[in-house]
Amino acid sequence: MLESLKVRFILSVSVLVAYTLVYPPLYPALAEVTNLLALVPVIVAAWLFGMRGGLLVGAFSFPMNGLLMQIVGAHAVWESLNSSS
Protein backbone atom coordinates (compact mmCIF):
# COMPACT_ATOMS: atom_id res chain seq x y z
CA MET A 1 0.00 0.00 0.00
CA LEU A 2 2.78 2.47 0.88
CA GLU A 3 4.78 1.64 -2.25
CA SER A 4 3.14 4.38 -4.25
CA LEU A 5 4.86 7.75 -4.01
CA LYS A 6 1.50 9.48 -4.27
CA VAL A 7 0.07 7.58 -1.29
CA ARG A 8 3.16 8.33 0.83
CA PHE A 9 3.03 12.01 -0.10
CA ILE A 10 -0.68 12.31 0.72
CA LEU A 11 -0.17 10.55 4.06
CA SER A 12 2.76 12.78 4.97
CA VAL A 13 0.95 15.98 4.02
CA SER A 14 -2.19 14.91 5.88
CA VAL A 15 -0.18 14.38 9.08
CA LEU A 16 1.37 17.83 8.63
CA VAL A 17 -2.05 19.42 8.10
CA ALA A 18 -3.45 17.57 11.11
CA TYR A 19 -0.61 18.97 13.23
CA THR A 20 -1.33 22.53 12.12
CA LEU A 21 -5.03 22.09 12.91
CA VAL A 22 -4.42 20.53 16.33
CA TYR A 23 -1.81 23.08 17.44
CA PRO A 24 -4.06 26.12 18.18
CA PRO A 25 -6.56 24.31 20.44
CA LEU A 26 -3.80 22.48 22.35
CA TYR A 27 -1.52 25.47 22.91
CA PRO A 28 -3.50 27.07 25.77
CA ALA A 29 -3.33 23.81 27.74
CA LEU A 30 0.23 22.70 26.95
CA ALA A 31 2.06 25.96 26.14
CA GLU A 32 5.53 25.40 24.61
CA VAL A 33 5.23 21.64 25.07
CA THR A 34 2.88 21.71 22.08
CA ASN A 35 5.94 22.38 19.90
CA LEU A 36 7.14 18.85 20.62
CA LEU A 37 4.25 17.57 18.53
CA ALA A 38 6.16 18.85 15.50
CA LEU A 39 8.20 15.68 15.78
CA VAL A 40 5.23 13.60 14.62
CA PRO A 41 5.21 14.89 11.01
CA VAL A 42 9.02 14.70 10.94
CA ILE A 43 9.01 11.07 12.08
CA VAL A 44 6.26 10.15 9.61
CA ALA A 45 8.13 11.83 6.74
CA ALA A 46 11.36 10.08 7.72
CA TRP A 47 9.55 6.76 7.90
CA LEU A 48 7.92 7.22 4.50
CA PHE A 49 10.72 9.00 2.59
CA GLY A 50 13.88 8.25 4.52
CA MET A 51 16.39 10.68 5.94
CA ARG A 52 15.95 13.26 3.18
CA GLY A 53 12.21 13.47 3.76
CA GLY A 54 12.69 13.76 7.51
CA LEU A 55 15.30 16.48 7.11
CA LEU A 56 13.11 18.42 4.70
CA VAL A 57 10.07 18.35 6.98
CA GLY A 58 12.28 19.03 10.01
CA ALA A 59 13.73 22.14 8.36
CA PHE A 60 10.20 23.25 7.46
CA SER A 61 8.84 22.63 10.98
CA PHE A 62 10.91 25.33 12.72
CA PRO A 63 9.49 28.31 10.79
CA MET A 64 6.06 26.66 10.82
CA ASN A 65 6.15 26.46 14.62
CA GLY A 66 7.16 30.12 14.79
CA LEU A 67 4.21 31.04 12.60
CA LEU A 68 1.83 28.90 14.65
CA MET A 69 3.09 30.52 17.86
CA GLN A 70 2.37 33.95 16.37
CA ILE A 71 -1.10 32.82 15.30
CA VAL A 72 -2.05 31.63 18.79
CA GLY A 73 -0.72 34.86 20.30
CA ALA A 74 2.23 33.37 22.12
CA HIS A 75 5.14 35.53 23.12
CA ALA A 76 7.94 36.02 20.65
CA VAL A 77 9.57 32.93 19.22
CA TRP A 78 13.03 34.04 20.33
CA GLU A 79 11.82 34.41 23.93
CA SER A 80 10.58 30.83 23.76
CA LEU A 81 14.00 29.66 22.60
CA ASN A 82 15.69 31.50 25.45
CA SER A 83 13.32 30.38 28.22
CA SER A 84 16.07 30.14 30.86
CA SER A 85 15.41 33.70 32.07
Side-chain angles (χ1 to χ4, degrees), residues 4-59:
S4 170
L5 181 64
K6 184 177 180 180
V7 171
R8 290 186 291 163
F9 182 76
I10 290 172
L11 182 61
S12 183
V13 168
S14 65
V15 169
L16 192 61
V17 168
Y19 167 69
T20 58
L21 293 176
V22 165
Y23 189 93
L26 285 180
Y27 190 83
L30 299 176
E32 281 86 12
V33 177
T34 312
N35 293 333
L36 291 175
L37 292 176
L39 291 175
V40 175
V42 174
I43 291 170
V44 169
W47 173 51
L48 294 173
F49 295 104
M51 186 177 10
R52 288 183 182 169
L55 286 173
L56 180 66
V57 174

Side-chain angles (χ1 to χ4, degrees), residues 50-67:
M51 186 177 10
R52 288 183 182 169
L55 286 173
L56 180 66
V57 174
F60 178 69
S61 69
F62 180 73
M64 186 177 68
N65 276 341
L67 179 65

